[in-house]
Amino acid sequence: MQTIEHPLPCLSESDTQGIIKGRDLFGYVGIEAVLDQMRRKTMKAGFEFNIMVVGQSGLGKSTLVNTLFKSKVSRKSCTPNYEEKISKTVHLQSVSHIIEEKGVKMKLTVIDTPGFGDQINNENCWEPIVKYVNEQYEKYLKEELNVNRKRRIPDTRVHCCVYFLPATGHWLRPIDVEFMRRLGKIVSIVPVIAKADTLTLEERLEFKQRIRQDLQANGIRVYPQKEYDEDAEDRILNDKIRENIPFAVVGTDKEHQVNGNKVLGRKTKWGIIEVENVAHCEFALLRDLLIRSHLQDLKDVTHNIHYETYRVKRLNESNANGLALSPLTLENGTLEKSDAESHL
Amino acid sequence: MDTMMLQEKLVEKLLCPRTRTTRQKDKQYVGFATLPNQVHRKSVKKGFDFTLMVAGESGLGKSTLVNSLFLTDLYKDRKLLNAEERINQTVEITKHTVDIEEKGVKLKLTIVDTPGFGDAVNNNECWKPITDYVDQQFEQYFRDESGLNRKNILDNRVHCCLYFIPPFGHGLRPVDVEFMKALHEKVNIIPLISKADCLTPNEVKKLKGRVRDEIEHFGIKVYQFPECDSDEEEEFKQMDKELKECTPFAVIGSNTVVEARGQRVRGRLYPWGIVEVENQSHCDFVKLRNMLIRSHMHDLKDVTCDVHYENYRANCIQEMTSKLAQDNRTDSPLPILPLPTPDGETEKLIKMKDDELKRMQEMLEKMQQQMHEKDQ
């Protein structure tokens, strides 16, 4: 009997990109079991997701967040006897909840920005928001540079910022342009058209086209950004999403009977607007983007791109100032006191 | 809809000449009961004019509503600006005039639009160009009224201002309050809730209640419907009461005609249904149109003339007399505005015309004398 020798598949020196396909292996190695292990570990640990909602008062931000996560997670639902008053300054409120589905736990933090764009003079109303985002990056950076690091650094960085545009049907307003220009550089922005049940389908298409033109003309990059598409498959998927941005949404927490089914919708004298019906509004598309398909991608983009940009900038600043990590400088150049860490 | 029919009846009464008077052939019959008839015929010949101002942020449906109200297309050649042009946009005032004729009655309608209001990031004093415009019209009328030739005074005073409140908020915003406070003593303000098709009936009620409360809280004097006379019919009084409780009107406008329930109506077509603009259960558009055009147009003009213009005039005169007293001059018997000093060109023209007039007068005199001599 002849022994047939099969050379073991291995990487040769000249093979820089050797990928050994599963069918070339001798037998079943069990590499794919690592996916199960990962899944079990992450299910035990849980996920964190921080979403910020920005827009003028009355655009339905809290209602939309409640509808997205099918539970009362917004600040409005948490404070009883809530009387809506226009606050004089922009201040940020964050509310955290732990929601669970099929054994997967998620710590969801909703950061609300009441007072944005409500005053007569709205100059610099975006500054508190920029400051907040940078502060979260700073916190994470400090933890990372610590000698005794925690095993899992608590992640309070803003993963996604949903910006609400009023459904005027015309164009982007100057305040929208200013805000998105500034925040598009440090956070992933997802613009949505709020209360879109006031636009007919043709008006909606025209409005979206004009917004996309405006965004391009002003150099504003919204999520998903073209530059971060990793491969062709991603690009095809993201191109489809980009054709539909911004999503026209309608939010509600009330249910009505339609054709014998209970659906989430708004009942008016001329019909019922079904929130989850794709022919009526694009809420389902937004939900799929934010939760079902791109949630992990949002976190990755925040961690790998926005956070890294911030980190590089800060470390360069401190290098210029010597070895110590310099105190945090705000946008307008004033210094803010913070402990200096000398671990570089 | 009973209220609709009653409204029609009232309009008929106002339009048709009173025919009762011709039936009486008494000896005691003097006949001056036909005076309203005569006034009616004269005013029909002269025609009416009405100036309406629309104010509010862009994208609230102001032009669409104006087109729906007067069934015309006043904004055919509107150009939408692009992003860069909009950043530096200031508030401007544009006027569109159109002549409408219906059943022999002519109406010269002027729409004053305020593009750019409330659109910038910093909207401090964005209502100033508007208040300046209203004051300018008053001043021009005052000048014309005090002038020597009063035959053809052009009345450009703003008779009514429709202010559009966005339905997105929870009531009045700071910019709404400031605008209305700046203008409520100069113009009749009628607040409207625009784009009401994004609100459910409950939300409409809540928003109207909040807006009414806030208007009262801030002391804003919006246009009040005049009280009915006690001798009006009971149903008319009921209709009037309903109208008053409905303010501010929640309106929807449309430029398109759609097919609904077998008829062609003005409306908006959505995947979930059709909104009919003229359906009273959908929005208050019909009430607004009836109020603005069919029953209260003349009252709006009267209030402008009698209240707002007189206030302006009194203020103006008071300022002038206090200034004169300060200058230590004797009070002029007639409080008139100083006539605008003509510049060099017009002075020359006036002088030329004066000379011509003198020459013609001399020629006339000569001719008259000649004729006189001939007769003798």
Side-chain angles (χ1 to χ4, degrees):
Chain A
M1 214 149 80
Q2 270 186 323
T3 49
I4 307 162
E5 280 196 357
H6 296 270
L8 284 169
C10 63
L11 291 169
S12 56
E13 301 297 324
S14 57
D15 219 353
T16 46
Q17 260 201 7
I19 299 178
I20 304 171
K21 293 268 170 27
R23 55 182 147 79
D24 297 338
L25 292 171
F26 248 136
Y28 174 65
V29 176
I31 301 176
E32 60 170 354
V34 84
L35 284 175
D36 278 337
Q37 298 170 29
M38 220 175 69
R39 193 176 292 140
R40 242 182 292 136
K41 277 213 161 178
T42 44
M43 275 183 56
K44 263 202 237 160
F47 295 89
E48 279 177 317
F49 190 59
N50 306 323
I51 181 171
M52 177 189 274
V53 283
V54 186
Q56 281 181 324
S57 82
L59 284 181
K61 306 186 288 290
S62 312
T63 313
L64 188 77
V65 168
N66 284 350
T67 320
L68 266 176
F69 294 101
K70 287 216 164 72
S71 39
K72 295 196 186 299
V73 287
S74 69
R75 80 188 146 99
K76 280 225 186 138
S77 337
C78 296
T79 51
N81 300 331
Y82 190 83
E83 264 255 331
E84 187 69 53
K85 267 193 280 259
I86 292 187
S87 49
K88 294 268 177 230
T89 54
V90 182
H91 57 276
L92 287 99
Q93 283 176 348
S94 79
V95 177
S96 294
H97 292 265
I98 298 188
I99 48 185
E100 181 174 333
E101 188 186 59
K102 292 209 181 123
V104 179
K105 280 202 275 282
M106 180 158 89
K107 177 162 176 260
L108 172 73
T109 308
V110 179
I111 305 147
D112 204 342
T113 56
F116 178 82
D118 286 332
Q119 302 310 314
I120 297 181
N121 182 356
N122 288 315
E123 256 165 31
N124 300 329
C125 63
W126 46 79
E127 268 184 13
I129 301 176
V130 172
K131 195 169 106 163
Y132 178 85
V133 172
N134 285 335
E135 271 173 16
Q136 306 314 309
Y137 286 151
E138 181 71 20
K139 245 195 255 178
Y140 197 89
L141 182 67
K142 284 225 197 75
E143 276 299 327
E144 228 188 18
L145 295 173
N146 229 337
V147 170
N148 293 322
R149 292 204 279 215
K150 298 204 190 102
R151 199 146 180 245
R152 270 184 55 118
I153 307 178
D155 191 0
T156 54
R157 299 171 295 186
V158 179
H159 297 132
C160 170
C161 172
V162 182
Y163 187 70
F164 285 71
L165 298 163
T168 57
H170 289 218
W171 46 62
L172 280 185
R173 302 167 301 158
I175 189 179
D176 302 330
V177 170
E178 292 296 316
F179 177 84
M180 288 202 272
R181 190 190 289 162
R182 288 192 170 72
L183 260 91
K185 300 191 195 133
I186 52 178
V187 120
S188 303
I189 299 190
V190 177
V192 296
I193 302 176
K195 298 209 169 171
D197 50 351
T198 187
L199 296 170
T200 61
L201 289 179
E202 301 96 52
E203 291 171 354
R204 198 193 280 178
L205 276 173
E206 274 181 27
F207 187 33
K208 284 206 225 185
Q209 229 176 6
R210 266 189 237 133
I211 292 183
R212 281 197 292 266
Q213 276 173 1
D214 269 352
L215 289 175
Q216 211 178 27
N218 283 298
I220 300 172
R221 284 158 22 218
V222 296
Y223 184 83
Q225 293 95 332
K226 262 213 176 109
E227 306 90 55
Y228 308 143
D229 285 341
E230 284 171 14
D231 52 24
E233 201 186 303
D234 269 354
R235 198 168 306 132
I236 297 176
L237 183 62
N238 287 347
D239 273 342
K240 269 224 216 95
I241 296 175
R242 275 187 283 264
E243 278 169 28
N244 275 322
I245 277 187
F247 293 117
V249 295
V250 174
T252 182
D253 46 10
K254 300 206 177 54
E255 286 189 334
H256 299 275
Q257 288 275 3
V258 171
N259 295 337
N261 301 334
K262 266 186 157 266
V263 286
L264 274 179
R266 287 169 62 76
K267 184 156 188 219
T268 56
K269 286 257 158 78
W270 43 87
I272 297 186
I273 304 163
E274 296 169 43
V275 167
E276 293 181 346
N277 185 341
V278 191
H280 287 192
C281 79
E282 292 170 346
F283 170 78
L285 293 177
L286 175 72
R287 181 197 51 204
D288 288 347
L289 173 78
L290 280 184
I291 304 177
R292 294 187 188 172
S293 49
H294 284 68
L295 191 129
Q296 188 56 37
D297 188 53
L298 278 164
K299 292 177 67 171
D300 286 342
V301 165
T302 309
H303 182 72
N304 296 335
I305 297 171
H306 295 297
Y307 172 67
E308 288 300 312
T309 320
Y310 178 81
R311 185 170 168 276
V312 162
K313 193 175 74 149
R314 286 285 286 135
L315 295 181
N316 278 337
E317 274 175 22
S318 353
N319 273 338
N321 293 345
L323 287 174
L325 188 62
S326 58
L328 184 59
T329 54
L330 295 175
E331 225 182 53
N332 53 5
T334 58
L335 289 181
E336 193 181 80
K337 283 227 180 87
S338 59
D339 314 339
E341 303 267 344
S342 51
H343 298 294
L344 288 172
Chain B
M1 279 170 255
D2 287 348
T3 43
M4 277 284 284
M5 277 170 38
L6 269 164
Q7 193 51 285
E8 293 290 302
K9 262 207 256 180
L10 174 65
V11 169
E12 284 291 307
K13 253 206 279 190
L14 285 170
L15 279 183
C16 286
R18 306 223 173 141
T19 48
R20 300 184 228 137
T21 53
T22 52
R23 293 194 207 125
Q24 293 175 345
K25 295 271 183 185
D26 270 324
K27 281 211 190 113
Q28 314 286 348
Y29 177 55
V30 179
F32 59 79
T34 61
L35 267 171
N37 207 351
Q38 302 172 26
V39 170
H40 166 81
R41 237 185 304 129
K42 278 216 160 179
S43 28
V44 166
K45 273 202 214 153
K46 200 169 98 173
F48 298 91
D49 62 3
F50 191 66
T51 308
L52 177 71
M53 177 187 272
V54 284
E57 282 188 353
S58 2
L60 288 180
K62 302 188 289 294
S63 359
T64 314
L65 189 77
V66 167
N67 285 343
S68 308
L69 271 175
F70 297 100
L71 294 178
T72 59
D73 194 1
L74 287 169
Y75 292 89
K76 266 189 292 248
D77 309 316
R78 192 160 66 150
K79 185 177 86 105
L80 291 176
L81 309 169
N82 64 22
E84 292 92 56
E85 289 171 2
R86 258 175 271 129
I87 300 275
N88 297 323
Q89 195 185 28
T90 52
V91 184
E92 14 170 282
I93 309 272
T94 58
K95 265 173 39 169
H96 299 263
T97 310
V98 73
D99 285 309
I100 311 178
E101 182 171 331
E102 191 184 64
K103 289 202 185 142
V105 181
K106 294 198 227 19
L107 175 70
K108 176 163 162 268
L109 175 72
T110 309
I111 306 279
V112 179
D113 201 350
T114 57
F117 175 80
D119 285 340
V121 179
N122 181 355
N123 289 316
N124 261 338
E125 308 257 310
C126 62
W127 50 85
K128 202 149 177 324
I130 301 174
T131 49
D132 285 346
Y133 176 81
V134 173
D135 282 339
Q136 253 174 30
Q137 306 310 310
F138 279 156
E139 188 185 318
Q140 187 217 321
Y141 193 82
F142 188 26
R143 236 181 252 282
D144 287 348
E145 207 185 36
S146 326
L148 296 171
N149 185 350
R150 302 210 294 185
K151 284 219 183 114
N152 298 318
I153 304 181
L154 262 183
D155 187 4
N156 282 327
R157 298 174 291 184
V158 179
H159 297 128
C160 173
C161 174
L162 294 178
Y163 185 67
F164 287 70
I165 301 172
F168 309 128
H170 293 268
L172 291 179
R173 302 165 301 158
V175 71
D176 300 331
V177 172
E178 290 302 312
F179 175 87
M180 290 205 269
K181 274 167 81 163
L183 273 165
H184 64 159
E185 306 213 313
K186 299 185 198 253
V187 185
N188 298 319
I189 297 187
I190 299 181
L192 299 173
I193 297 177
S194 54
K195 291 204 169 179
D197 52 354
C198 78
L199 298 169
T200 60
N202 275 341
E203 292 171 353
V204 170
K205 234 194 292 188
K206 235 189 347 182
L207 185 61
K208 281 193 188 180
R210 278 201 70 141
V211 171
R212 273 200 296 262
D213 290 340
E214 289 182 359
I215 286 180
E216 212 181 286
H217 172 78
F218 287 108
I220 299 172
K221 304 194 205 101
V222 296
Y223 174 70
Q224 301 292 340
F225 300 103
E227 294 297 329
C228 301
D229 302 322
S230 48
D231 60 347
E232 294 278 1
E233 296 162 356
E234 191 57 49
E235 291 180 72
F236 181 70
K237 278 201 221 167
Q238 176 69 19
M239 188 183 72
D240 198 56
K241 201 170 90 142
E242 272 178 39
L243 209 68
K244 288 196 187 143
E245 283 171 8
C246 240
T247 55
F249 295 127
V251 293
I252 303 172
S254 167
N255 278 331
T256 53
V257 178
V258 296
E259 183 98 19
R261 294 181 280 128
Q263 296 177 327
R264 288 179 68 79
V265 287
R266 255 185 191 248
R268 291 171 64 74
L269 176 65
Y270 290 112
W272 48 84
I274 300 181
V275 178
E276 296 167 44
V277 165
E278 298 187 350
N279 186 336
Q280 293 237 43
S281 61
H282 286 190
C283 71
D284 297 331
F285 173 79
V286 175
K287 292 204 181 79
L288 171 71
R289 183 182 58 190
N290 287 345
M291 197 251 5
L292 191 62
I293 303 176
R294 296 185 189 177
S295 32
H296 291 83
M297 189 183 259
H298 207 76
D299 184 63
L300 284 164
K301 289 177 73 169
D302 281 344
V303 173
T304 311
C305 292
D306 296 339
V307 178
H308 298 296
Y309 173 66
E310 290 300 317
N311 278 340
Y312 171 82
R313 192 168 165 274
N315 277 337
C316 219
I317 294 175
Q318 225 172 21
E319 273 176 34
M320 281 197 299
T321 48
S322 63
K323 225 174 74 167
L324 284 177
Q326 277 176 8
D327 289 350
N328 260 340
R329 279 157 46 191
T330 52
D331 284 352
S332 57
L334 275 174
I336 48 170
L337 288 176
L339 292 170
T341 50
D343 53 32
E345 280 271 340
T346 45
E347 275 210 19
K348 256 197 260 166
L349 270 172
I350 293 177
K351 208 158 176 296
M352 264 174 54
K353 293 278 168 145
D354 272 340
D355 288 337
E356 230 190 286
L357 263 172
K358 249 200 233 156
R359 260 183 284 130
M360 303 227 11
Q361 266 187 337
E362 281 170 13
M363 272 181 60
L364 259 174
E365 274 185 27
K366 261 202 224 153
M367 286 179 62
Q368 272 191 340
Q369 259 192 337
Q370 282 181 351
M371 286 180 53
H372 198 67
E373 282 164 20
K374 258 199 177 168
D375 283 341
Q376 277 185 345

